């Protein structure tokens, strides 16, 4: 059974710091991995999608890496801003219809 | 363009009543997914549609839950005889297709269901 774990559960950093969020999964047979952010009272916003054949994706200040063999992904946020405060979720696609989500990392960026 | 929309945004119902949740996917997206997020827990996959058909219903938690999609567009998730443990945020997502999982899922804002 695929299990997705995110560490840390919560993180608080001062504005301007670079930070890394971690995601691990137990079954390397995934189709893709997706990072989302969730703001209070709102739905999920897709940040980055990494296909199983890829090793990383970048969008602006965000960089996500994927190491399928070790079952790990990281989300790197450069020069963090207060607007980055949200819960960050990673999810793996096992096949073309089932996604398993981690519990999320709640990020607070202090001005 | 417009994103995924869901209605109602909030629903409070009495235990034992039936509720219907609606999802309007992004135009042209053939795949549609329902998830729920219970308080303090992660997201749980419920069901997915490819067009109007739902090949995988294994995620539905009980036979009180059903979903349909007509015309390859709008979907409704129905919960019959609601129980307090059904209280959660129900999220809908859509993607261009489901084949090969090449396509990102775009999520709606969710419906917060509270069963009293």
């Amino acid at each position: 059974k695929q299990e997705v774990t995110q560490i840390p559960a919560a993180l608080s950093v001062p504005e301007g710091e670079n930070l890394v969020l971690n995601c691990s999964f137990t079954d390397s047979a995934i189709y893709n991995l997706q990072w989302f952010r969730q703001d209070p009272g709102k739905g999920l916003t897709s940040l980055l999608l990494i296909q199983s054949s890829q090793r990383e994706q970048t969008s602006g200040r965000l960089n996500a890496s994927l190491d399928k063999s070790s079952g790990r992904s990281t989300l790197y946020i450069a020069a963090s801003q207060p607007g980055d405060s949200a819960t960050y979720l990673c999810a793996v696609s096992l096949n073309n219809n089932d996604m398993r989500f981690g519990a999320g990392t709640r990020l607070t960026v202090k001005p | 363009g417009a994103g995924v929309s869901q209605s109602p945004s909030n629903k409070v119902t009495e235990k034992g009543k039936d509720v219907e949740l609606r999802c309007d996917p992004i135009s042209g997206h053939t795949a549609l997914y329902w998830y729920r997020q219970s308080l303090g827990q992660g997201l749980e996959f419920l069901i997915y549609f490819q067009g109007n058909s739902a090949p995988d219903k294994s995620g539905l938690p009980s036979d009180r839950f059903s979903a349909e999609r007509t015309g390859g567009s709008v979907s409704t998730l129905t919960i019959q005889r609601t129980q307090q443990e059904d209280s959660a945020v129900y999220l809908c997502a859509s993607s261009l297709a489901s084949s090969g999982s090449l396509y990102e899922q775009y999520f709606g804002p969710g419906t917060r269901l509270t069963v009293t």
Side-chain angles (χ1 to χ4, degrees):
Chain A
K1 179 183 175 184
Q2 177 73 270
E3 293 185 1
V4 182
T5 305
Q6 291 188 243
I7 294 174
L11 180 64
S12 181
V13 300
E15 181 177 5
E17 271 203 10
N18 303 325
L19 58 100
V20 175
L21 307 181
N22 296 289
C23 173
S24 61
F25 47 96
T26 54
D27 187 344
S28 63
I30 64 171
Y31 277 74
N32 62 43
L33 183 145
Q34 200 165 351
W35 281 93
F36 298 87
R37 67 174 281 168
Q38 185 173 30
D39 295 279
K42 297 185 179 180
L44 302 178
T45 300
S46 176
L47 298 174
L48 290 164
L49 172 69
I50 311 177
Q51 301 297 340
S52 62
S53 58
Q54 298 174 326
R55 295 193 66 86
E56 68 175 343
Q57 283 286 331
T58 298
S59 176
R61 294 182 294 108
L62 305 179
N63 176 275
S65 68
L66 173 64
D67 185 341
K68 267 186 58 177
S69 60
S70 65
R72 294 180 182 179
S73 175
T74 61
L75 179 66
Y76 174 82
I77 302 177
S80 58
Q81 303 171 357
D84 296 331
S85 297
T87 296
Y88 289 80
L89 296 162
C90 80
V92 296
S93 288
L94 304 180
N95 49 40
N96 63 5
N97 60 27
D98 193 357
M99 290 180 75
R100 298 293 168 87
F101 287 80
T105 293
R106 189 172 65 254
L107 173 66
T108 303
V109 181
K110 297 172 289 186
Chain B
V4 178
S5 61
Q6 292 185 246
S7 61
S9 56
N10 281 283
K11 177 71 176 177
V12 180
T13 189
E14 292 180 354
K15 177 182 173 181
K17 301 280 189 181
D18 297 352
V19 295
E20 269 192 7
L21 312 180
R22 176 188 168 108
C23 172
D24 207 334
I26 293 173
S27 177
H29 281 195
T30 60
L32 185 147
Y33 308 77
W34 283 99
Y35 300 86
R36 73 174 176 181
Q37 188 172 30
S38 303
L39 185 63
Q41 299 185 27
L43 275 159
E44 176 188 3
F45 167 78
L46 298 178
I47 190 170
Y48 113 98
F49 288 89
Q50 177 57 43
N52 290 337
S53 65
D56 183 0
K57 301 181 180 180
S58 63
L60 294 176
S62 78
D63 58 8
R64 296 185 295 104
F65 286 72
S66 63
E68 65 175 17
R69 187 180 188 198
T70 56
S73 182
V74 172
S75 174
T76 55
L77 177 69
T78 301
I79 309 173
Q80 296 177 311
R81 305 181 302 281
T82 52
Q83 304 294 314
Q84 288 184 329
E85 60 263 28
D86 299 334
S87 297
V89 175
Y90 289 82
L91 289 164
C92 173
S94 70
S95 67
L96 276 173
S98 62
S99 176
S101 292
L102 293 178
Y103 302 101
E104 294 182 46
Q105 293 187 25
Y106 296 86
F107 281 75
T111 292
R112 181 176 298 279
L113 175 66
T114 304
V115 182
T116 61

